[in-house]
């Protein structure tokens, strides 16, 4: 079986702004994967004004973690929907040891063993620069992410009559909070997966294409 047919069950970990979602998308042409992204999934819940969306809206806007019972329930549901001929890549989950233990249970129930945990690494300065400059270009319900330093992307957005919006949790004071939450909650996780021999560390200070290549290399 070639690598492009291999079914992987993966976790992608990285500080906010390390480009997790972009990297996940760039992996799709290479591996049969379903991306299970908790941040995006939760923002969809908020956008559709579902019961869960209403329950989590305020925490999301303040950069606080959503209660474990809610997120675990959603993860179980999303993973159950992954087709048998596809692997999955979890983006944004688990974020704590408690969630990692719950994930073990969910994966045991689904008979889907974990193959690897990819940890993206990025300096604090780069995290702050990337996140506080990030904007969403909104045009008629379409949403695309760009960086304000990318003059061409900003111009393209303006030409389309788009509106540049900052995610509430990309404001500088919330970014600092998110980095603090990340360091506190995630370091024990990295230690946990390193002990289990599943951790694969990859620098995120590069283009998505190069990062993806390094990930494919470490998966072997
Ligand atoms: P992200 O897009 O991954 O930065 O996530 C955005 C927000 O969604 C976070 O600041 C949390 O409020 C919430 N969130 C995402 N994943 C989780 C998780 N695994 N546990 C709790 N809250 C989460």
């Amino acid at each position: 079986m070639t690598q492009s047919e291999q079914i992987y069950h993966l976790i992608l970990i990285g500080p906010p702004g390390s480009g997790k979602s972009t990297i996940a998308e760039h992996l799709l042409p290479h591996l049969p994967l379903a991306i299970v992204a908790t941040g995006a999934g939760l923002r969809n819940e908020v956008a559709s004004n579902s019961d869960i969306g209403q329950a989590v809206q305020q925490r999301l806007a303040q950069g606080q973690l959503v209660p474990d019972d809610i997120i675990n329930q959603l993860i179980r549901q999303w993973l159950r929907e992954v087709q048998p001929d596809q692997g999955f890549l979890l983006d944004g989950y688990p974020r704590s040891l408690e969630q990692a233990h719950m994930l073990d249970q969910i994966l045991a129930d689904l008979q889907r063993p974990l193959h690897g945990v990819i940890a993206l690494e990025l300096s604090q300065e780069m995290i702050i620069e990337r996140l506080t400059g990030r904007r969403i270009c909104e045009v008629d319900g379409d949403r695309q992410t760009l960086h304000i330093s990318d003059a061409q992307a900003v111009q393209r957005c303006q030409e389309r009559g788009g509106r540049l919006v900052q995610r509430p949790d990309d404001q500088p004071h919330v970014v600092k909070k998110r980095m603090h939450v990340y360091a506190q909650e995630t370091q024990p996780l990295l230690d946990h997966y390193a002990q289990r021999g599943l951790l694969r560390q990859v620098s995120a200070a590069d283009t998505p294409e190069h990062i993806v290549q390094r990930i494919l290399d470490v998966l072997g």
Side-chain angles (χ1 to χ4, degrees), residues 38-39 42-43 60 64-66 92-93 95 99 167 178:
T38 49
L42 287 164
R43 282 189 290 278
L60 247 70
Q64 286 172 357
L65 290 178
V66 162
Y93 182 95
R95 263 176 154 97
Q99 291 185 2
R167 262 171 58 174
R178 287 166 72 195

Side-chain angles (χ1 to χ4, degrees), residues 146-159 164:
L146 56 81
H147 195 275
I148 45 170
S149 65
D150 185 347
Q152 288 184 342
V154 171
Q155 194 184 345
R156 273 198 303 275
C157 178
Q158 283 162 349
E159 283 168 2
L164 284 181

